[in-house]
Amino acid sequence: MKKVLQSILVLSCICIAVFVVSCQDEENETRQNEETLSKTAPLTGLMKRVSVNATVDDNIIDSTSCFSVKLPVNLIVNSQAVTINTENDYHLVSDIFEMTDADQDYVDFVFPITIIYPDYSEVVVQNETQFNTLKEACQEPEPEQRNIGCISIHYPIRVFGYNSNYQLAHTYTIRNDMEFFLLLFNLNATEFYAVDYPIIITNADGNQVTIRNNIEMTGAIMAAIEDCTVVVPECNTSQTNFIQAYNHLKGLNNVREEFTMDTDIHEFSFSVNRAGTICSIGYQAEERSTPIVYLIELVDENNNIIYTGNHTFSDQEREYISIPPVTISPGHVYSLRRSTPLGAGVGTIIWDRGNISAPFLPYTNGNITLLHSKFYVNGGMDTPVYYMLPLIDFVFRPN
């Protein structure tokens, strides 16, 4: 009898163990299928976009979406000292732009400053030269990688971390976007996680919503993407600021338009009164039996090339070519240059032949100021002239 009881007891323990393991397996399978997420899960990518550093929010001070500037920061805005302590202070800059009558609005930083990239990595910037170098070298995030700014998570939240066997390994308390992004960003292929629902978010309408599972979270983020998608302004080539200015100057007494000035390089310098991008270049080619390939360059005041490309244009009318958007900032001088491989080449220009001692440049129209021109290499001189202007159009889109 004793041996029978022992056998029954052992069999019972085995059954209980099998039942427990079976339940654990079933629980793990349920958690794996319905709750846990991997580094490559679509919802992981969406939640990273919700929590990634919102580099576009401070464009009014740094004129780039490549990074943001760590607050607080001291600025000089149109000669006025301003301290930006929080995101709510950005309006102080636009308020000064509107209040002052400066021909060019500008923002200068009081260095050193710290910039923060989308992944929250930081770089201390010691001076304006270093700042401009970093800005020009940076590639702005693609649209599908940018912050989804019209949805926010209410912290703190809890996140459970699991190992490759879907066993609970960690419990994280997440207090802000940076902690959440870095947790998701640093996951490896053998790690999994689950958000401890319910959590609360604020949606694009400003309403607080309780989210109870991954499906609801996915739906809320997708709705936010649709609700807050930024429509990029069209790159409109009709009646640009430059063409309006050019046509006005062409109508002045003694100013005439000619297809002339036989030099390799035609260029002019300009500035803008607000941040924006250049998205298209318009030019009419010299008539040749073989189409001319022109080198088009945009150069900043430190002689850094911020755009370069080889292009052909129609020789019958002005033709526009699209270029990747080039960021242009107020308070800086840029040059738009066309070069030919011919040794010298003519182009459409206006100039005042009657009275070169009465220059028509600088001239401001809309958001741009045309400063001076140059015609040089294989003729001409590399010195600014203020009574000539080449017809090299560009489309400037203010932010």
Side-chain angles (χ1 to χ4, degrees):
M1 176 65 70
K2 184 176 181 181
K3 290 183 178 180
V4 172
L5 289 174
Q6 287 177 340
S7 298
I8 293 173
L9 181 60
V10 169
L11 181 61
S12 299
C13 291
I14 292 173
C15 290
I16 292 171
V18 170
F19 176 76
V20 169
V21 171
S22 176
C23 289
Q24 287 179 339
D25 289 344
E26 182 179 352
E27 180 182 355
N28 285 343
E29 183 178 357
T30 300
R31 184 175 295 278
Q32 176 183 356
N33 292 336
E34 296 180 5
E35 298 178 20
T36 59
L37 296 165
S38 67
K39 183 180 183 71
T40 58
L43 180 54
T44 301
L46 292 173
M47 291 194 293
K48 282 168 63 178
R49 288 186 60 191
V50 170
S51 57
V52 71
N53 183 31
T55 55
V56 71
D57 290 352
D58 71 341
N59 280 8
I60 194 168
I61 66 171
D62 64 9
S63 302
T64 181
S65 298
C66 279
F67 47 72
S68 61
V69 177
K70 192 172 186 177
L71 302 181
V73 64
N74 295 316
L75 310 172
I76 303 298
V77 183
N78 288 0
S79 301
Q80 297 187 40
V82 178
T83 298
I84 305 297
N85 290 300
T86 71
E87 291 84 352
N88 294 329
D89 294 333
Y90 290 139
H91 73 92
L92 298 174
V93 178
S94 55
D95 290 347
I96 292 174
F97 286 170
E98 294 175 2
M99 288 187 301
T100 57
D101 296 325
D103 292 335
Q104 303 175 34
D105 293 314
Y106 68 89
V107 176
D108 287 334
F109 293 103
V110 178
F111 292 96
I113 64 172
T114 300
I115 61 173
I116 311 173
Y117 287 95
D119 65 358
Y120 293 97
S121 59
E122 297 184 358
V123 174
V124 176
V125 182
Q126 300 293 342
N127 51 55
E128 185 174 5
T129 299
Q130 183 187 1
F131 177 80
N132 289 334
T133 299
L134 291 171
K135 185 165 70 170
E136 289 154 11
C138 183
Q139 295 293 322
E140 295 196 5
E142 296 296 330
E144 64 272 11
Q145 298 173 333
R146 293 176 185 169
N147 173 261
I148 303 170
C150 55
I151 183 173
S152 59
I153 298 171
H154 291 223
Y155 298 100
I157 63 173
R158 283 202 310 172
V159 175
F160 301 122
Y162 297 92
N163 60 24
S164 58
N165 294 319
Y166 296 97
Q167 296 172 329
L168 183 64
H170 302 283
T171 298
Y172 304 96
T173 299
I174 306 298
R175 299 174 177 81
N176 51 50
D177 279 340
M178 181 178 72
E179 291 182 3
F180 195 26
F181 176 86
L182 292 177
L183 172 65
L184 302 179
F185 183 78
N186 290 313
L187 286 171
N188 63 46
T190 62
E191 291 180 307
F192 302 87
Y193 71 97
V195 175
D196 184 18
Y197 296 107
I199 66 172
I200 297 174
I201 66 165
T202 297
N203 64 15
D205 297 324
N207 299 321
Q208 292 189 11
V209 179
T210 299
I211 303 296
R212 297 176 177 82
N213 51 53
N214 288 340
I215 294 175
E216 291 184 2
M217 189 67 169
T218 300
I221 297 175
M222 295 303 294
I225 292 174
E226 183 176 349
D227 291 341
C228 67
T229 298
V230 176
V231 178
V232 177
E234 180 185 359
C235 193
N236 189 351
T237 60
S238 63
Q239 289 301 304
T240 65
N241 283 166
F242 176 88
I243 286 298
Q244 292 178 37
Y246 181 92
N247 289 337
H248 171 80
L249 297 172
K250 185 172 69 171
L252 298 177
N253 290 335
N254 297 318
V255 174
R256 66 175 63 185
E257 183 179 61
E258 294 183 3
F259 206 69
T260 185
M261 210 57 197
D262 194 10
T263 62
D264 183 8
I265 295 176
H266 292 191
E267 74 173 53
F268 63 87
S269 296
F270 67 95
S271 60
V272 297
N273 60 17
R274 60 181 296 185
T277 57
I278 291 177
C279 57
S280 183
I281 305 294
Y283 193 67
Q284 182 175 344
E286 179 181 352
E287 187 174 359
R288 295 271 181 151
S289 57
T290 301
I292 300 172
V293 179
Y294 292 93
L295 174 64
I296 302 295
E297 295 174 302
L298 271 167
V299 183
D300 69 12
E301 58 201 349
N302 297 313
N303 207 33
N304 297 311
I305 297 175
I306 57 177
Y307 172 77
T308 180
N310 292 293
H311 304 283
T312 59
F313 299 90
S314 168
D315 59 14
Q316 300 300 310
E317 61 183 358
R318 188 166 64 252
E319 181 181 3
Y320 289 85
I321 52 98
S322 296
I323 65 174
V326 179
T327 299
I328 302 295
S329 304
H332 299 276
V333 175
Y334 301 89
S335 296
L336 179 55
R337 175 188 302 156
R338 79 93 170 113
S339 307
T340 76
L342 305 175
V346 296
T348 303
I349 70 167
I350 53 174
W351 64 316
D352 187 342
R353 298 187 64 178
N355 187 4
I356 63 174
S357 63
F360 53 67
L361 296 178
Y363 179 76
T364 298
N365 180 71
N367 299 121
I368 69 170
T369 298
L370 304 175
L371 300 171
H372 55 75
S373 304
K374 290 182 181 180
F375 302 86
Y376 57 103
V377 179
N378 292 307
M381 291 184 296
D382 185 11
T383 53
V385 293
Y386 299 90
Y387 58 92
M388 304 177 74
L389 179 66
L391 204 175
I392 313 171
D393 194 11
F394 66 98
V395 180
F396 173 71
R397 296 183 304 191
N399 291 340

